[in-house]
Amino acid sequence: MMPSCSPTRIALCTGYSTDYPAGYVAGAVNEAYAACHGYDWRCDVMDTDAMAVECGGLHALPWFKIQMLRRVMAESEPDPESPGQRLSRPRFTHVVWIDSDAVVVVPEESIDSIIHEANKPTPDNYDRKGDGKGKATTGRAKPFDVIIAEDMSSAALINSGVVVYSNTVWSRRLLASLWDTNIVKGRVHMEKKFWEQTALEKMLRKSYVSSKSKAKKGESDGGEEDGQDEDDDATASLSDPTLFAS
């Protein structure tokens, strides 16, 4: 299988404790998948006490993924002309999390193709510029910040076992807020059912409803101003997500 040829720079991430046998099995499969497509493979394996330190001192190990994703997103691109130096841009355009008990079962399908399919223009990701009278005139498709699957059960709206994060300001702010808000508010989700997934679902649900409300108001007000920064999320609040759930 040939590596995917794409301007995307993708890191596939997972993590688990040393006493979790399934992690080693799944990790071997997913590492091979990453190698086939030219993705950077990141796998953190440590004892439970070390993971607990990363999780704020509690043995709430599912929260480890939030901290690991933040670390990988913060990496900068190496400067090819100056060994040991870094460029200002992020090393990865997308950072993907896969749980340590999940494996890729269709290795021929690339993450690039999933991103491409998700980012086709739809009513959910198409910014419209209005004419001031409530009518759309022009627009463009915005890449999604988060690509996440619907949970297969009725117990939750989303499943955070596999998530594609576009390495945008908004995504980094989402993960920071997810962690910081949880700590500030007494770690209310630290050991709740579904762990960080419960907190993420609550935050995305609230953000998505808010963004829809703003979008409707924007159309009636005539849409965006010309000359606005191409990267809308760079100045957006946390209530302005671009979310794709399949």
Side-chain angles (χ1 to χ4, degrees):
M1 185 184 304
M2 296 296 293
S4 303
C5 295
S6 168
T8 57
R9 303 182 304 279
I10 296 172
L12 181 59
C13 307
T14 194
Y16 52 91
S17 58
T18 53
D19 60 352
Y20 187 61
Y24 297 94
V25 177
V29 174
N30 297 330
E31 182 178 10
Y33 170 79
C36 282
H37 291 280
Y39 304 143
D40 201 278
W41 170 246
R42 298 299 179 88
C43 181
D44 282 2
V45 183
M46 57 186 73
D47 64 51
T48 54
D49 289 337
M51 292 190 82
V53 171
E54 290 255 2
C55 295
L58 292 180
H59 280 73
L61 303 189
W63 278 91
F64 176 80
K65 71 174 70 171
I66 303 302
Q67 295 295 66
M68 184 177 181
L69 286 166
R70 292 176 68 188
R71 279 192 278 108
V72 177
M73 281 187 174
E75 293 183 20
S76 55
E77 179 83 358
D79 188 341
E81 298 181 359
S82 302
Q85 300 299 311
R86 297 275 175 172
L87 301 175
S88 58
R89 71 178 184 181
R91 182 172 186 174
F92 303 109
T93 59
H94 296 81
V95 178
V96 183
W97 176 266
I98 183 166
D99 274 356
S100 56
D101 60 352
V103 295
V104 175
V105 295
V106 186
E108 296 80 12
E109 183 169 6
S110 68
I111 296 172
D112 300 82
S113 66
I114 294 171
I115 294 170
H116 176 75
E117 183 67 24
N119 286 320
K120 289 180 178 179
T122 71
D124 284 331
N125 76 333
Y126 198 68
D127 280 348
R128 294 179 175 84
K129 293 184 178 180
D131 60 1
K133 301 178 181 179
K135 294 182 179 180
T137 55
T138 61
R140 60 186 173 85
K142 287 180 60 180
F144 284 107
D145 293 297
V146 181
I147 303 173
I148 193 168
E150 182 180 355
D151 198 85
M152 295 181 68
S153 75
S154 59
L157 178 65
I158 59 172
N159 188 304
S160 63
V162 180
V163 188
V164 179
Y165 291 95
S166 181
N167 195 0
T168 60
V169 170
W170 190 91
S171 293
R172 295 192 293 273
R173 188 179 296 152
L174 168 68
L175 294 174
S177 296
L178 187 63
W179 179 263
D180 295 341
T181 301
N182 184 57
I183 296 298
V184 170
K185 293 189 175 181
R187 306 180 181 185
V188 292
H189 292 288
M190 208 65 168
E191 295 180 298
K192 272 193 173 183
K193 189 176 183 181
F194 304 130
W195 310 87
E196 93 301 333
Q197 178 176 293
T198 302
L200 179 62
E201 177 182 327
K202 184 176 182 180
M203 186 170 286
L204 288 177
R205 187 195 297 269
K206 182 178 180 180
S207 300
Y208 192 63
V209 170
S210 176
S211 70
K212 284 296 185 182
S213 176
K214 287 187 178 183
K216 289 182 179 179
K217 183 178 184 301
E219 281 192 30
S220 62
D221 290 344
E224 301 172 314
E225 294 293 329
D226 288 337
Q228 184 172 338
D229 193 328
E230 283 282 322
D231 184 6
D232 296 324
D233 297 321
T235 55
S237 69
L238 190 55
S239 59
D240 295 319
T242 311
L243 171 68
F244 176 85
S246 63

